[in-house]
Amino acid sequence: YCGNVGKISNSQVAVFSCLSNGEFASMVDARLYLPLDWCNDPRRCSEAGIPDENRIFKTKLELAVDIIKQQIKNGVSFEFIGGDGYYGNDANLASAINRMGYLYMLDIHSDQKIFTQQPDLVLPERKGPQGPFPKKLKATTQDISVTEYMKNLEDCDWKKIVVRNTAKGKLTGEYHFARVFIWNKSLDQIEPRMLVIRRTMSAKNTAEIKYSFTNANLEQYTHEGLAYMQAQRFFVEHCIKEAKQILGLDQFYTRKWLAWQHQVALNF
């Protein structure tokens, strides 16, 4: 799937990272995504000049972890890691970042399921003497989507925060912070998260909602600090937009591995 054309098309997909500080941001790393059928085709990889050590299939989420580890190895200093909903909805990526000892603020999709109270995972009892024994775990409390959760909030549950300056004045939003839990089904375990919801009014006077997960806690970080972290991805997205529209990051047609690396490095 190619986001530029909005459909499945002949294209190249990569995972990019951007280092930002306030209003300044710069692309710093990239990993080209190789589909599984490429990795299983030695002749195709050889024609493209792909090194043997890079012919191992990795998901985009695994490539993101590789980038983080490489930046740490390079000695790059950063306070937290952000990402869009594709990366935020993967529980294992958040857990991996947490195990590294780093803070994350990852956007999530509106259908992300949460528990407001920590549930237990249990095997249900067999329904009858002749039926099979259950093998799938079940949570002792019902989960809901973050959208459903937000609809149940009262006006007093929101806090108005001025986040940063913009070309049109101050960016102000209403924020809600809550400790919630998710079911990491790949590991069959319940994990805690801090849910951050931002509600802002658009120029058309409609509410725009942004959901995020973080491993930060309100004992160490202020509401304003968490709001700033969530809003910081604006400058990352702006940097990616400039790399495409001004510098042509998405407008080259390299056919070789090394040529792709050179083109991306030149763009950076």
Side-chain angles (χ1 to χ4, degrees):
Y1 177 81
C2 178
N4 280 353
V5 296
K7 61 181 181 180
I8 294 175
S9 178
N10 184 28
S11 57
Q12 296 168 338
V13 176
V15 180
F16 294 91
S17 69
C18 182
L19 189 66
S20 65
N21 184 8
E23 298 178 7
F24 303 98
S26 177
M27 308 288 277
V28 293
D29 208 338
R31 296 289 190 279
L32 181 64
Y33 170 80
L34 289 179
L36 184 59
D37 58 347
W38 268 78
C39 297
N40 292 336
D41 191 338
R43 182 190 60 80
R44 197 177 192 183
C45 289
S46 295
E47 288 180 355
I50 302 173
D52 291 342
E53 63 269 20
N54 295 112
R55 299 182 187 184
I56 301 171
F57 174 73
K58 291 186 177 183
T59 66
K60 289 191 284 185
L61 295 158
E62 290 171 329
L63 294 175
V65 172
D66 285 349
I67 287 177
I68 295 169
K69 290 180 177 178
Q70 183 63 52
Q71 294 306 306
I72 295 171
K73 183 179 179 181
N74 290 349
V76 175
S77 176
F78 51 89
E79 294 181 8
F80 69 96
I81 297 165
D84 63 25
Y86 175 83
Y87 299 95
N89 269 55
D90 184 84
N92 289 329
L93 177 62
S95 297
I97 297 172
N98 191 60
R99 286 194 301 271
M100 292 182 205
Y102 285 91
L103 192 67
Y104 63 78
M105 178 68 75
L106 301 170
D107 293 350
I108 56 174
H109 296 153
S110 59
D111 59 356
Q112 169 70 46
K113 296 290 187 179
I114 59 171
F115 297 93
T116 56
Q117 301 291 331
Q118 184 172 4
D120 293 321
L121 297 177
V122 298
L123 281 174
E125 294 184 1
R126 190 168 59 168
K127 294 184 178 179
Q130 304 299 324
F133 286 97
K135 296 181 180 179
K136 294 182 66 176
L137 292 171
K138 186 176 182 180
T140 53
T141 59
Q142 183 62 44
D143 60 2
I144 59 172
S145 70
V146 290
T147 300
E148 293 174 306
Y149 172 83
M150 189 208 68
K151 289 179 180 178
N152 293 324
L153 296 177
E154 303 289 342
D155 288 342
C156 60
D157 294 322
W158 297 90
K159 180 178 182 179
K160 191 173 183 179
I161 297 176
V162 178
V163 183
R164 57 175 171 80
N165 294 322
T166 72
K168 298 180 180 180
K170 300 284 186 180
L171 173 64
T172 303
E174 292 180 303
Y175 284 81
H176 175 78
F177 306 89
R179 180 176 170 81
V180 298
F181 301 87
I182 66 162
W183 182 352
N184 185 341
K185 295 192 175 182
S186 65
L187 299 177
D188 270 334
Q189 64 185 27
I190 300 298
E191 298 177 350
R193 297 285 191 273
M194 172 70 73
L195 174 64
V196 181
I197 307 177
R198 184 181 79 192
R199 182 173 66 183
T200 55
M201 300 304 294
S202 68
K204 297 180 181 179
N205 205 33
T206 57
E208 295 182 349
I209 310 297
K210 186 182 183 71
Y211 305 96
S212 304
F213 276 157
T214 179
N215 57 344
N217 59 70
L218 293 175
E219 287 74 34
Q220 291 179 290
Y221 298 90
T222 64
H223 289 145
E224 289 76 13
L226 294 178
Y228 172 83
M229 283 191 279
Q230 191 196 46
Q232 189 61 24
R233 274 199 57 248
F234 167 83
F235 298 104
V236 174
E237 294 296 337
H238 185 69
C239 179
I240 295 171
K241 181 179 178 181
E242 286 187 324
K244 291 180 177 180
Q245 296 184 355
I246 299 176
L247 302 178
L249 179 62
D250 59 344
Q251 297 171 16
F252 56 83
Y253 299 90
T254 54
R255 302 293 184 185
K256 302 288 185 178
W257 173 269
L258 189 58
W260 187 88
Q261 306 291 337
H262 285 172
Q263 184 69 47
V264 168
L266 181 63
N267 185 281
F268 284 9

